[in-house]
């Protein structure tokens, strides 16, 4: 089993049994997320370095217009998608097994917790009236 199989199962709302091959993939991914967030939060990084670490954490490219202020925490990371011109302020925690999609021009405030185990969370910016 591979990460893509796990993400597909999670996105389909499938329960992951603790003795399954998918659970082993989830455990490895969680340990990787802990390692990357420890590096991210352990010292100062230039904005480009933060984006590189964030890209490693979510397993996808992060646009150069994304800004994040650590500390940041996640126990998975691989089911998060970020749009362009996204700002994530300090102290945020994402639990993204069910999926988190943050659209273009979205601003996430201090200490926000986005938690999903079996449902997708979609954050979209709304144009001012």
């Amino acid at each position: 089993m591979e990460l893509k199989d796990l993400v597909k199962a999670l996105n389909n709302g499938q329960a992951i049994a603790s003795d399954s091959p998918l659970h082993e993939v989830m455990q490895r991914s969680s340990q990787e997320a802990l390692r990357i967030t420890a590096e991210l939060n352990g010292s100062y990084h230039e904005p480009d370095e933060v984006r590189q670490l964030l890209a490693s954490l979510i397993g996808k490219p992060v646009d150069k217009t994304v800004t994040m202020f650590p500390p940041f925490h996640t126990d998975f990371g691989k089911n998060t998608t970020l749009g362009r011109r996204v700002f994530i302020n300090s102290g945020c925690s994402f639990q993204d097994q069910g999926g988190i999609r943050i659209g273009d021009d979205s601003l996430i405030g201090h200490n926000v917790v986005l938690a999903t185990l079996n449902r997708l969370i979609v954050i979209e910016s709304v144009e001012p009236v």
Side-chain angles (χ1 to χ4, degrees), residues 3 7 10 26-41 50 52-60 62 68-82 88-102 111-117 121:
L3 180 61
V7 171
L10 291 169
M26 187 183 308
Q27 288 294 99
R28 283 194 308 270
S29 298
S30 294
Q31 291 303 306
E32 180 182 23
L34 291 173
R35 180 187 57 74
I36 294 169
T37 56
E39 183 177 348
L40 176 67
N41 299 330
V50 170
Q52 289 172 355
L53 287 165
L54 188 54
S56 294
L57 186 61
I58 69 172
K60 306 174 187 72
V62 172
M68 183 178 70
F69 290 173
F72 176 80
H73 300 280
T74 186
D75 61 352
F76 186 57
K78 300 300 189 210
N79 208 4
T80 294
T81 302
L82 302 173
I88 303 169
N89 217 324
S90 63
C92 291
S93 296
F94 291 4
Q95 182 179 13
D96 68 327
Q97 283 87 351
I100 296 173
R101 293 193 186 132
I102 301 174
N111 300 315
V112 168
V113 175
L114 299 176
T116 177
L117 291 175
I121 292 176

Short mmCIF file of all heavy atoms in Angstrom, two decimals, residues 3 7 10 26-41 50 52-60 62 68-82 88-102 111-117 121:
data_model
loop_
_atom_site.label_atom_id
_atom_site.label_comp_id
_atom_site.label_asym_id
_atom_site.label_seq_id
_atom_site.Cartn_x
_atom_site.Cartn_y
_atom_site.Cartn_z
N LEU A 3 0.87 5.84 -0.12
CA LEU A 3 0.18 7.02 0.39
C LEU A 3 -1.05 7.35 -0.45
O LEU A 3 -2.11 7.67 0.11
CB LEU A 3 1.15 8.21 0.42
CG LEU A 3 0.56 9.51 0.91
CD1 LEU A 3 0.06 9.40 2.35
CD2 LEU A 3 1.57 10.63 0.78
N VAL A 7 -4.81 8.04 1.02
CA VAL A 7 -5.57 9.28 0.79
C VAL A 7 -6.88 8.98 0.08
O VAL A 7 -7.94 9.52 0.43
CB VAL A 7 -4.72 10.33 0.02
CG1 VAL A 7 -5.55 11.52 -0.39
CG2 VAL A 7 -3.54 10.77 0.89
N LEU A 10 -9.22 7.49 2.68
CA LEU A 10 -9.68 8.53 3.59
C LEU A 10 -10.72 9.42 2.91
O LEU A 10 -11.74 9.76 3.51
CB LEU A 10 -8.50 9.37 4.09
CG LEU A 10 -7.53 8.66 5.03
CD1 LEU A 10 -6.28 9.51 5.23
CD2 LEU A 10 -8.19 8.34 6.36
N MET A 26 -0.44 5.13 7.28
CA MET A 26 -0.85 6.28 8.08
C MET A 26 0.17 6.54 9.19
O MET A 26 0.53 7.70 9.44
CB MET A 26 -2.24 6.09 8.67
CG MET A 26 -2.76 7.34 9.36
SD MET A 26 -4.35 7.21 10.17
CE MET A 26 -5.38 6.53 8.91
N GLN A 27 0.63 5.50 9.83
CA GLN A 27 1.63 5.66 10.89
C GLN A 27 2.92 6.27 10.36
O GLN A 27 3.48 7.19 10.97
CB GLN A 27 1.92 4.31 11.56
CG GLN A 27 0.80 3.80 12.44
CD GLN A 27 0.59 4.69 13.64
OE1 GLN A 27 -0.30 5.53 13.65
NE2 GLN A 27 1.41 4.54 14.63
N ARG A 28 3.39 5.78 9.23
CA ARG A 28 4.62 6.33 8.63
C ARG A 28 4.42 7.80 8.26
O ARG A 28 5.29 8.64 8.51
CB ARG A 28 5.03 5.53 7.39
CG ARG A 28 5.69 4.22 7.69
CD ARG A 28 6.38 3.63 6.46
NE ARG A 28 5.54 3.55 5.28
CZ ARG A 28 4.78 2.51 4.96
NH1 ARG A 28 4.74 1.44 5.74
NH2 ARG A 28 4.05 2.52 3.85
N SER A 29 3.27 8.11 7.68
CA SER A 29 2.98 9.50 7.29
C SER A 29 2.90 10.41 8.51
O SER A 29 3.38 11.55 8.47
CB SER A 29 1.67 9.56 6.50
OG SER A 29 1.77 8.81 5.33
N SER A 30 2.32 9.92 9.57
CA SER A 30 2.22 10.71 10.80
C SER A 30 3.60 10.98 11.39
O SER A 30 3.88 12.09 11.85
CB SER A 30 1.33 10.01 11.82
OG SER A 30 0.01 9.95 11.36
N GLN A 31 4.45 9.99 11.37
CA GLN A 31 5.81 10.19 11.89
C GLN A 31 6.58 11.20 11.03
O GLN A 31 7.32 12.03 11.55
CB GLN A 31 6.57 8.86 11.96
CG GLN A 31 6.03 7.93 13.03
CD GLN A 31 6.05 8.57 14.41
OE1 GLN A 31 7.07 9.04 14.87
NE2 GLN A 31 4.89 8.60 15.05
N GLU A 32 6.37 11.14 9.72
CA GLU A 32 7.00 12.12 8.83
C GLU A 32 6.48 13.52 9.14
O GLU A 32 7.25 14.49 9.20
CB GLU A 32 6.74 11.78 7.37
CG GLU A 32 7.38 12.77 6.42
CD GLU A 32 7.09 12.49 4.96
OE1 GLU A 32 6.09 11.82 4.64
OE2 GLU A 32 7.88 12.96 4.13
N ALA A 33 5.17 13.66 9.37
CA ALA A 33 4.59 14.96 9.71
C ALA A 33 5.17 15.49 11.01
O ALA A 33 5.48 16.69 11.12
CB ALA A 33 3.07 14.86 9.80
N LEU A 34 5.34 14.64 12.00
CA LEU A 34 5.94 15.06 13.27
C LEU A 34 7.37 15.54 13.06
O LEU A 34 7.80 16.54 13.64
CB LEU A 34 5.90 13.91 14.27
CG LEU A 34 4.52 13.52 14.79
CD1 LEU A 34 4.61 12.25 15.63
CD2 LEU A 34 3.89 14.66 15.58
N ARG A 35 8.13 14.83 12.22
CA ARG A 35 9.52 15.22 11.95
C ARG A 35 9.58 16.58 11.26
O ARG A 35 10.34 17.46 11.65
CB ARG A 35 10.21 14.15 11.09
CG ARG A 35 11.68 14.49 10.76
CD ARG A 35 12.29 13.51 9.77
NE ARG A 35 11.58 13.41 8.51
CZ ARG A 35 11.61 14.34 7.54
NH1 ARG A 35 12.30 15.44 7.70
NH2 ARG A 35 10.95 14.15 6.41
N ILE A 36 8.74 16.76 10.23
CA ILE A 36 8.78 18.00 9.47
C ILE A 36 8.29 19.17 10.32
O ILE A 36 8.90 20.26 10.29
CB ILE A 36 7.94 17.88 8.17
CG1 ILE A 36 8.60 16.86 7.24
CG2 ILE A 36 7.80 19.24 7.48
CD1 ILE A 36 7.73 16.45 6.05
N THR A 37 7.23 18.98 11.09
CA THR A 37 6.75 20.09 11.93
C THR A 37 7.76 20.43 13.02
O THR A 37 7.90 21.59 13.39
CB THR A 37 5.35 19.83 12.54
OG1 THR A 37 5.37 18.62 13.27
CG2 THR A 37 4.29 19.77 11.46
N ALA A 38 8.48 19.44 13.53
CA ALA A 38 9.53 19.73 14.52
C ALA A 38 10.62 20.59 13.89
O ALA A 38 11.11 21.55 14.51
CB ALA A 38 10.12 18.44 15.07
N GLU A 39 10.99 20.29 12.66
CA GLU A 39 11.99 21.09 11.95
C GLU A 39 11.45 22.50 11.68
O GLU A 39 12.13 23.50 11.92
CB GLU A 39 12.39 20.43 10.64
CG GLU A 39 13.48 21.17 9.91
CD GLU A 39 13.93 20.46 8.64
OE1 GLU A 39 13.58 19.29 8.41
OE2 GLU A 39 14.66 21.11 7.86
N LEU A 40 10.22 22.57 11.22
CA LEU A 40 9.58 23.85 10.91
C LEU A 40 9.50 24.75 12.14
O LEU A 40 9.78 25.95 12.08
CB LEU A 40 8.18 23.60 10.35
CG LEU A 40 7.33 24.81 10.04
CD1 LEU A 40 7.91 25.61 8.89
CD2 LEU A 40 5.91 24.37 9.70
N ASN A 41 9.12 24.17 13.26
CA ASN A 41 8.87 24.94 14.47
C ASN A 41 10.10 25.11 15.36
O ASN A 41 10.05 25.87 16.32
CB ASN A 41 7.75 24.27 15.27
CG ASN A 41 6.45 24.23 14.50
OD1 ASN A 41 6.17 25.08 13.68
ND2 ASN A 41 5.66 23.19 14.75
N VAL A 50 10.21 28.05 4.68
CA VAL A 50 8.93 27.66 5.26
C VAL A 50 8.06 27.02 4.19
O VAL A 50 7.45 25.97 4.41
CB VAL A 50 8.21 28.88 5.91
CG1 VAL A 50 6.78 28.53 6.29
CG2 VAL A 50 8.98 29.37 7.12
N GLN A 52 9.07 25.51 1.47
CA GLN A 52 9.65 24.21 1.12
C GLN A 52 9.28 23.15 2.15
O GLN A 52 8.91 22.03 1.78
CB GLN A 52 11.17 24.31 1.02
CG GLN A 52 11.65 25.08 -0.19
CD GLN A 52 13.16 25.33 -0.16
OE1 GLN A 52 13.85 25.01 0.81
NE2 GLN A 52 13.66 25.92 -1.23
N LEU A 53 9.35 23.50 3.42
CA LEU A 53 8.97 22.55 4.47
C LEU A 53 7.48 22.25 4.39
O LEU A 53 7.06 21.09 4.56
CB LEU A 53 9.34 23.09 5.85
CG LEU A 53 10.84 23.08 6.16
CD1 LEU A 53 11.15 23.94 7.37
CD2 LEU A 53 11.32 21.65 6.38
N LEU A 54 6.67 23.26 4.13
CA LEU A 54 5.23 23.07 4.00
C LEU A 54 4.93 22.16 2.81
O LEU A 54 4.07 21.27 2.90
CB LEU A 54 4.54 24.42 3.87
CG LEU A 54 3.02 24.44 3.90
CD1 LEU A 54 2.47 23.76 5.15
CD2 LEU A 54 2.51 25.88 3.82
N ALA A 55 5.63 22.34 1.70
CA ALA A 55 5.45 21.47 0.53
C ALA A 55 5.82 20.03 0.87
O ALA A 55 5.11 19.09 0.46
CB ALA A 55 6.29 21.99 -0.64
N SER A 56 6.88 19.82 1.62
CA SER A 56 7.24 18.47 2.05
C SER A 56 6.17 17.88 2.95
O SER A 56 5.84 16.70 2.85
CB SER A 56 8.57 18.48 2.80
OG SER A 56 9.62 18.83 1.95
N LEU A 57 5.62 18.72 3.79
CA LEU A 57 4.59 18.27 4.73
C LEU A 57 3.31 17.84 4.02
O LEU A 57 2.75 16.80 4.33
CB LEU A 57 4.29 19.40 5.72
CG LEU A 57 3.36 19.10 6.87
CD1 LEU A 57 3.91 17.99 7.75
CD2 LEU A 57 3.14 20.36 7.68
N ILE A 58 2.86 18.64 3.05
CA ILE A 58 1.60 18.31 2.37
C ILE A 58 1.80 17.43 1.14
O ILE A 58 0.83 16.93 0.58
CB ILE A 58 0.77 19.57 2.04
CG1 ILE A 58 1.42 20.42 0.96
CG2 ILE A 58 0.49 20.38 3.30
CD1 ILE A 58 0.55 21.58 0.47
N GLY A 59 3.03 17.28 0.70
CA GLY A 59 3.32 16.41 -0.43
C GLY A 59 2.91 16.98 -1.77
O GLY A 59 2.69 16.24 -2.72
N LYS A 60 2.82 18.32 -1.83
CA LYS A 60 2.43 19.00 -3.07
C LYS A 60 3.20 20.32 -3.15
O LYS A 60 3.59 20.87 -2.12
CB LYS A 60 0.94 19.35 -3.07
CG LYS A 60 -0.01 18.24 -2.81
CD LYS A 60 -1.43 18.78 -2.69
CE LYS A 60 -2.39 17.71 -2.28
NZ LYS A 60 -2.27 17.30 -0.89
N VAL A 62 3.85 24.20 -3.14
CA VAL A 62 3.22 25.34 -2.47
C VAL A 62 3.59 26.58 -3.25
O VAL A 62 4.77 26.85 -3.48
CB VAL A 62 3.68 25.44 -0.99
CG1 VAL A 62 3.20 26.72 -0.35
CG2 VAL A 62 3.20 24.23 -0.21
N MET A 68 3.13 31.44 5.65
CA MET A 68 2.74 30.81 6.90
C MET A 68 3.70 31.25 7.99
O MET A 68 4.91 31.31 7.78
CB MET A 68 2.77 29.29 6.80
CG MET A 68 2.29 28.63 8.08
SD MET A 68 2.24 26.86 8.01
CE MET A 68 3.96 26.49 7.98
N PHE A 69 3.13 31.61 9.14
CA PHE A 69 3.93 31.96 10.31
C PHE A 69 3.88 30.79 11.30
O PHE A 69 2.82 30.51 11.86
CB PHE A 69 3.38 33.21 11.00
CG PHE A 69 3.58 34.50 10.24
CD1 PHE A 69 2.98 35.66 10.71
CD2 PHE A 69 4.35 34.59 9.10
CE1 PHE A 69 3.14 36.87 10.04
CE2 PHE A 69 4.51 35.78 8.42
CZ PHE A 69 3.91 36.92 8.89
N PRO A 70 5.00 30.09 11.50
CA PRO A 70 5.02 29.02 12.51
C PRO A 70 4.83 29.62 13.92
O PRO A 70 5.01 30.82 14.09
CB PRO A 70 6.43 28.44 12.37
CG PRO A 70 6.87 28.85 10.99
CD PRO A 70 6.23 30.19 10.75
N PRO A 71 4.49 28.81 14.90
CA PRO A 71 4.42 27.37 14.82
C PRO A 71 3.16 26.88 14.11
O PRO A 71 2.14 27.56 14.10
CB PRO A 71 4.44 26.92 16.28
CG PRO A 71 3.83 28.06 17.02
CD PRO A 71 4.24 29.29 16.27
N PHE A 72 3.28 25.69 13.55
CA PHE A 72 2.19 25.03 12.85
C PHE A 72 2.25 23.56 13.22
O PHE A 72 3.33 22.99 13.34
CB PHE A 72 2.36 25.21 11.34
CG PHE A 72 1.33 24.46 10.53
CD1 PHE A 72 0.07 24.99 10.36
CD2 PHE A 72 1.64 23.25 9.95
CE1 PHE A 72 -0.89 24.32 9.62
CE2 PHE A 72 0.69 22.56 9.21
CZ PHE A 72 -0.58 23.11 9.04
N HIS A 73 1.09 22.94 13.39
CA HIS A 73 1.05 21.52 13.76
C HIS A 73 0.05 20.77 12.88
O HIS A 73 -1.00 21.29 12.54
CB HIS A 73 0.64 21.36 15.23
CG HIS A 73 1.59 22.03 16.15
ND1 HIS A 73 2.79 21.48 16.53
CD2 HIS A 73 1.54 23.24 16.75
CE1 HIS A 73 3.43 22.32 17.32
NE2 HIS A 73 2.69 23.39 17.47
N THR A 74 0.42 19.56 12.54
CA THR A 74 -0.49 18.63 11.88
C THR A 74 -0.03 17.23 12.21
O THR A 74 1.16 16.99 12.43
CB THR A 74 -0.55 18.84 10.35
OG1 THR A 74 -1.55 17.98 9.81
CG2 THR A 74 0.77 18.57 9.68
N ASP A 75 -0.98 16.30 12.26
CA ASP A 75 -0.63 14.92 12.53
C ASP A 75 -0.63 14.06 11.27
O ASP A 75 -0.43 12.87 11.32
CB ASP A 75 -1.56 14.32 13.58
CG ASP A 75 -3.02 14.32 13.18
OD1 ASP A 75 -3.35 14.91 12.13
OD2 ASP A 75 -3.83 13.73 13.90
N PHE A 76 -0.89 14.69 10.12
CA PHE A 76 -0.88 13.95 8.85
C PHE A 76 -0.31 14.83 7.75
O PHE A 76 0.78 14.59 7.27
CB PHE A 76 -2.31 13.47 8.52
CG PHE A 76 -2.39 12.57 7.31
CD1 PHE A 76 -1.65 11.40 7.23
CD2 PHE A 76 -3.22 12.89 6.26
CE1 PHE A 76 -1.73 10.57 6.12
CE2 PHE A 76 -3.32 12.07 5.15
CZ PHE A 76 -2.57 10.91 5.08
N GLY A 77 -1.06 15.83 7.31
CA GLY A 77 -0.55 16.80 6.34
C GLY A 77 -0.77 16.46 4.89
O GLY A 77 -0.86 17.34 4.05
N LYS A 78 -0.85 15.19 4.56
CA LYS A 78 -0.89 14.79 3.15
C LYS A 78 -2.24 14.95 2.49
O LYS A 78 -2.38 14.66 1.31
CB LYS A 78 -0.43 13.34 3.02
CG LYS A 78 0.97 13.07 3.52
CD LYS A 78 2.01 13.89 2.79
CE LYS A 78 3.41 13.42 3.19
NZ LYS A 78 4.40 14.46 3.15
N ASN A 79 -3.26 15.42 3.23
CA ASN A 79 -4.58 15.61 2.62
C ASN A 79 -4.99 17.08 2.73
O ASN A 79 -6.15 17.40 2.91
CB ASN A 79 -5.61 14.68 3.27
CG ASN A 79 -6.74 14.34 2.33
OD1 ASN A 79 -6.74 14.72 1.16
ND2 ASN A 79 -7.72 13.61 2.81
N THR A 80 -3.99 17.96 2.64
CA THR A 80 -4.20 19.41 2.65
C THR A 80 -3.80 19.95 1.29
O THR A 80 -2.76 19.56 0.74
CB THR A 80 -3.37 20.09 3.76
OG1 THR A 80 -3.86 19.66 5.03
CG2 THR A 80 -3.46 21.60 3.68
N THR A 81 -4.61 20.85 0.76
CA THR A 81 -4.31 21.54 -0.49
C THR A 81 -4.42 23.04 -0.25
O THR A 81 -5.37 23.50 0.38
CB THR A 81 -5.32 21.13 -1.59
OG1 THR A 81 -5.26 19.70 -1.75
CG2 THR A 81 -5.01 21.79 -2.91
N LEU A 82 -3.44 23.79 -0.73
CA LEU A 82 -3.40 25.24 -0.55
C LEU A 82 -3.45 25.94 -1.90
O LEU A 82 -2.74 25.57 -2.83
CB LEU A 82 -2.12 25.66 0.18
CG LEU A 82 -1.88 25.04 1.55
CD1 LEU A 82 -0.50 25.41 2.06
CD2 LEU A 82 -2.95 25.48 2.52
N ILE A 88 -1.49 31.78 6.49
CA ILE A 88 -1.79 31.00 7.68
C ILE A 88 -0.99 31.60 8.83
O ILE A 88 0.24 31.58 8.81
CB ILE A 88 -1.43 29.51 7.49
CG1 ILE A 88 -2.17 28.94 6.28
CG2 ILE A 88 -1.72 28.72 8.76
CD1 ILE A 88 -1.70 27.56 5.85
N ASN A 89 -1.69 32.16 9.82
CA ASN A 89 -1.03 32.84 10.93
C ASN A 89 -0.51 31.82 11.94
O ASN A 89 -0.77 30.62 11.84
CB ASN A 89 -1.98 33.84 11.58
CG ASN A 89 -1.25 35.09 12.03
OD1 ASN A 89 -0.11 35.03 12.48
ND2 ASN A 89 -1.92 36.22 11.94
N SER A 90 0.21 32.29 12.93
CA SER A 90 0.90 31.42 13.88
C SER A 90 -0.05 30.65 14.79
O SER A 90 -1.15 31.11 15.10
CB SER A 90 1.89 32.23 14.72
OG SER A 90 1.20 33.17 15.49
N GLY A 91 0.40 29.48 15.19
CA GLY A 91 -0.31 28.68 16.16
C GLY A 91 -1.40 27.79 15.61
O GLY A 91 -2.16 27.20 16.38
N CYS A 92 -1.49 27.64 14.30
CA CYS A 92 -2.58 26.84 13.71
C CYS A 92 -2.28 25.34 13.78
O CYS A 92 -1.13 24.92 13.77
CB CYS A 92 -2.81 27.24 12.26
SG CYS A 92 -3.53 28.89 12.12
N SER A 93 -3.35 24.57 13.85
CA SER A 93 -3.27 23.11 13.84
C SER A 93 -4.28 22.57 12.84
O SER A 93 -5.45 22.96 12.89
CB SER A 93 -3.58 22.54 15.23
OG SER A 93 -2.63 22.95 16.17
N PHE A 94 -3.82 21.68 11.97
CA PHE A 94 -4.70 21.06 10.98
C PHE A 94 -4.69 19.55 11.20
O PHE A 94 -3.63 18.93 11.22
CB PHE A 94 -4.21 21.33 9.56
CG PHE A 94 -4.31 22.74 9.07
CD1 PHE A 94 -4.74 23.78 9.88
CD2 PHE A 94 -3.96 23.04 7.77
CE1 PHE A 94 -4.83 25.08 9.41
CE2 PHE A 94 -4.04 24.34 7.28
CZ PHE A 94 -4.47 25.36 8.10
N GLN A 95 -5.86 18.96 11.36
CA GLN A 95 -6.02 17.52 11.36
C GLN A 95 -6.76 17.20 10.07
O GLN A 95 -7.96 17.44 9.96
CB GLN A 95 -6.81 17.06 12.58
CG GLN A 95 -6.94 15.57 12.66
CD GLN A 95 -7.70 15.14 13.90
OE1 GLN A 95 -8.33 15.93 14.58
NE2 GLN A 95 -7.66 13.85 14.17
N ASP A 96 -6.05 16.71 9.09
CA ASP A 96 -6.57 16.70 7.71
C ASP A 96 -6.85 15.33 7.12
O ASP A 96 -6.94 15.20 5.91
CB ASP A 96 -5.59 17.45 6.81
CG ASP A 96 -4.25 16.74 6.66
OD1 ASP A 96 -3.82 16.07 7.61
OD2 ASP A 96 -3.64 16.86 5.58
N GLN A 97 -7.05 14.31 7.94
CA GLN A 97 -7.32 13.00 7.36
C GLN A 97 -8.54 13.03 6.45
O GLN A 97 -8.57 12.36 5.43
CB GLN A 97 -7.52 11.94 8.45
CG GLN A 97 -6.24 11.47 9.09
CD GLN A 97 -5.83 12.34 10.25
OE1 GLN A 97 -6.38 13.40 10.52
NE2 GLN A 97 -4.82 11.89 10.98
N GLY A 98 -9.55 13.81 6.77
CA GLY A 98 -10.74 13.92 5.93
C GLY A 98 -10.57 14.88 4.78
O GLY A 98 -11.41 14.94 3.89
N GLY A 99 -9.50 15.66 4.78
CA GLY A 99 -9.21 16.60 3.71
C GLY A 99 -9.47 18.04 4.10
O GLY A 99 -10.48 18.36 4.70
N ILE A 100 -8.51 18.90 3.78
CA ILE A 100 -8.63 20.34 3.97
C ILE A 100 -8.18 21.00 2.68
O ILE A 100 -7.08 20.73 2.20
CB ILE A 100 -7.76 20.85 5.14
CG1 ILE A 100 -8.23 20.25 6.47
CG2 ILE A 100 -7.76 22.38 5.19
CD1 ILE A 100 -7.33 20.56 7.65
N ARG A 101 -9.06 21.82 2.12
CA ARG A 101 -8.72 22.59 0.92
C ARG A 101 -8.91 24.06 1.23
O ARG A 101 -10.01 24.50 1.54
CB ARG A 101 -9.60 22.18 -0.25
CG ARG A 101 -9.31 20.77 -0.68
CD ARG A 101 -9.93 20.42 -2.02
NE ARG A 101 -9.71 18.99 -2.24
CZ ARG A 101 -10.64 18.16 -2.62
NH1 ARG A 101 -11.85 18.58 -2.87
NH2 ARG A 101 -10.36 16.88 -2.77
N ILE A 102 -7.82 24.80 1.12
CA ILE A 102 -7.86 26.23 1.38
C ILE A 102 -7.66 26.93 0.05
O ILE A 102 -6.61 26.79 -0.59
CB ILE A 102 -6.79 26.64 2.40
CG1 ILE A 102 -7.02 25.88 3.72
CG2 ILE A 102 -6.81 28.15 2.63
CD1 ILE A 102 -5.97 26.09 4.76
N ASN A 111 -4.01 30.67 15.83
CA ASN A 111 -4.48 29.55 16.65
C ASN A 111 -5.74 28.87 16.13
O ASN A 111 -6.49 28.28 16.91
CB ASN A 111 -4.69 30.01 18.10
CG ASN A 111 -3.41 30.54 18.70
OD1 ASN A 111 -2.36 29.93 18.55
ND2 ASN A 111 -3.50 31.67 19.35
N VAL A 112 -5.97 28.92 14.83
CA VAL A 112 -7.14 28.24 14.26
C VAL A 112 -6.87 26.74 14.22
O VAL A 112 -5.78 26.29 13.87
CB VAL A 112 -7.44 28.78 12.84
CG1 VAL A 112 -8.45 27.91 12.11
CG2 VAL A 112 -7.90 30.22 12.91
N VAL A 113 -7.89 25.97 14.58
CA VAL A 113 -7.83 24.51 14.48
C VAL A 113 -8.83 24.07 13.42
O VAL A 113 -10.01 24.37 13.52
CB VAL A 113 -8.16 23.84 15.84
CG1 VAL A 113 -8.20 22.32 15.69
CG2 VAL A 113 -7.16 24.26 16.90
N LEU A 114 -8.33 23.38 12.40
CA LEU A 114 -9.18 22.75 11.39
C LEU A 114 -9.03 21.25 11.59
O LEU A 114 -7.94 20.71 11.42
CB LEU A 114 -8.76 23.16 9.98
CG LEU A 114 -8.81 24.65 9.65
CD1 LEU A 114 -8.27 24.90 8.24
CD2 LEU A 114 -10.22 25.18 9.80
N ALA A 115 -10.12 20.60 11.99
CA ALA A 115 -10.04 19.18 12.32
C ALA A 115 -11.10 18.41 11.54
O ALA A 115 -12.29 18.74 11.63
CB ALA A 115 -10.24 18.97 13.82
N THR A 116 -10.66 17.43 10.79
CA THR A 116 -11.58 16.59 10.03
C THR A 116 -11.01 15.19 9.93
O THR A 116 -9.84 15.00 9.60
CB THR A 116 -11.82 17.17 8.62
OG1 THR A 116 -12.67 16.29 7.91
CG2 THR A 116 -10.56 17.40 7.86
N LEU A 117 -11.85 14.25 10.26
CA LEU A 117 -11.45 12.85 10.13
C LEU A 117 -12.13 12.17 8.94
O LEU A 117 -11.54 11.32 8.30
CB LEU A 117 -11.78 12.07 11.40
CG LEU A 117 -10.93 12.44 12.60
CD1 LEU A 117 -11.43 11.71 13.85
CD2 LEU A 117 -9.47 12.12 12.35
N ILE A 121 -13.06 19.65 4.57
CA ILE A 121 -13.25 21.06 4.93
C ILE A 121 -12.74 21.89 3.76
O ILE A 121 -11.61 21.70 3.31
CB ILE A 121 -12.46 21.45 6.20
CG1 ILE A 121 -13.01 20.75 7.43
CG2 ILE A 121 -12.48 22.96 6.40
CD1 ILE A 121 -12.22 21.01 8.68
#
